[in-house]
Amino acid sequence: MTSSPLNILIVGAGIGGLSAALTLRRAGHNVDIYERSGLNNEIGAAIHICPNASRGLLALGLDPVAARFVNAKKSWRAESATLKCFHEADEGYVARKFGAPWWWCHRVDLHEALKILALGEKGEGKPAVVHLKKGVTSYDPEAGSVTFADGSVASGDLVIAADGVHSKAVEAVIGYPNPALPTEKYNFCYRFLIPTAEIASDPETAIWTEGDEGRIKFIVSEGRRLVWYPCRKYVSLLNSR
């Protein structure tokens, strides 16, 4: 707990912004978050939380059971032409080797868990305060301030830009445009969710759910792969590249 709390502004209430808010709240600072949306329509699909991230989340009080995270236990790989398995592995060693678990989860569940920890009354420090529908139009690094679309201005001891790759903070800090560029041609992926119950209820696909607790599957071909793993109880992700 710091003896001289800072007044900190965080722009963006996504995973990065909420994680920063939670950490700074626990350190004893006053945190205000400014979010351009209404924070009522969070989207996304499944994501991995590797040990370097899960270690920090556990230290900050995140409960993976309440958040419905899945522990990674095993992996399975097959050729796309034949669907014949050519490799299986036990991934249970991850937590023992690296000192923290490897989780799979739905992005919305992670975001909700962080929101509760950063904004809720429980926990160390003063809860962060979120201000909704406050889109930022400009940053002033020298003044430590941000200007919003409605013309209002907020300033603090520290401003953290957590509003994505298109943040106006980048140009304000480095002094010249540095736009986010698209990935190389054909380097893309499709992400979608399929309820496991639907796969299990179809006799033609039920086999794909057998022994799937904590298992990630890869179906690979030259230059492409389909990645499939559970992310919330009976929900799985198909991620094709």
Side-chain angles (χ1 to χ4, degrees), residues 110 114 122 152 171 178 201 208 216:
L110 173 59
L114 290 171
K122 294 183 179 180
S152 61
E171 183 174 350
N178 186 38
S201 65
W208 291 102
I216 186 170

Side-chain angles (χ1 to χ4, degrees), residues 4-232:
S4 302
L6 300 175
N7 295 317
I8 300 174
L9 314 183
I10 298 177
V11 180
I15 289 174
L18 290 175
S19 297
L22 169 58
T23 303
L24 292 166
R25 166 194 175 171
R26 295 293 176 86
H29 300 294
N30 302 315
V31 181
D32 284 273
I33 308 171
Y34 296 89
E35 167 60 35
R36 65 181 179 181
S37 74
L39 206 60
N40 56 3
N41 190 32
E42 193 64 23
I43 61 174
I47 57 175
H48 290 236
I49 303 178
C50 297
N52 56 339
S54 64
R55 182 181 295 108
L57 291 172
L58 287 171
L60 289 170
L62 187 141
D63 182 349
V65 176
R68 297 179 289 184
F69 291 179
V70 177
N71 283 310
K73 296 180 180 180
K74 49 193 174 181
S75 60
W76 179 94
R77 292 168 173 79
E79 295 284 355
S80 62
T82 63
L83 296 183
K84 182 179 180 181
C85 175
F86 64 84
H87 181 264
E88 290 187 85
D90 179 1
E91 306 295 348
Y93 73 93
V94 171
R96 297 190 301 271
K97 181 175 181 178
F98 299 106
W102 175 18
W103 292 322
W104 305 322
C105 72
H106 195 297
R107 185 185 182 281
V108 170
D109 293 337
L110 173 59
H111 185 266
E112 184 63 25
L114 290 171
K115 185 166 64 175
I116 292 171
L117 290 170
L119 308 180
E121 292 295 329
K122 294 183 179 180
E124 299 176 34
K126 180 182 176 182
V129 177
V130 64
H131 308 267
L132 302 178
K133 297 185 178 180
K134 299 291 284 187
V136 171
T137 57
S138 65
Y139 286 83
D140 186 336
E142 298 299 325
S145 67
V146 292
T147 300
F148 303 102
D150 61 9
S152 61
V153 178
S155 59
D157 300 308
L158 173 67
V159 177
I160 297 176
D163 49 344
V165 296
H166 299 293
S167 175
K168 297 180 183 298
V170 178
E171 183 174 350
V173 171
I174 66 177
Y176 56 86
N178 186 38
L181 300 175
T183 58
E184 294 294 328
K185 189 177 182 181
Y186 304 129
N187 182 14
F188 57 87
C189 68
Y190 298 100
R191 297 166 63 84
F192 53 92
L193 298 166
I194 299 179
T196 301
E198 292 186 11
I199 302 174
S201 65
D202 188 328
E204 293 188 6
T205 58
I207 188 174
W208 291 102
T209 65
E210 295 175 0
D212 256 8
E213 182 183 358
R215 180 171 68 168
I216 186 170
K217 294 193 284 291
F218 300 83
I219 298 177
V220 300
S221 64
E222 185 176 352
R224 298 179 178 85
R225 64 177 180 171
L226 185 145
V227 184
W228 174 5
Y229 56 94
C231 64
R232 182 205 289 160

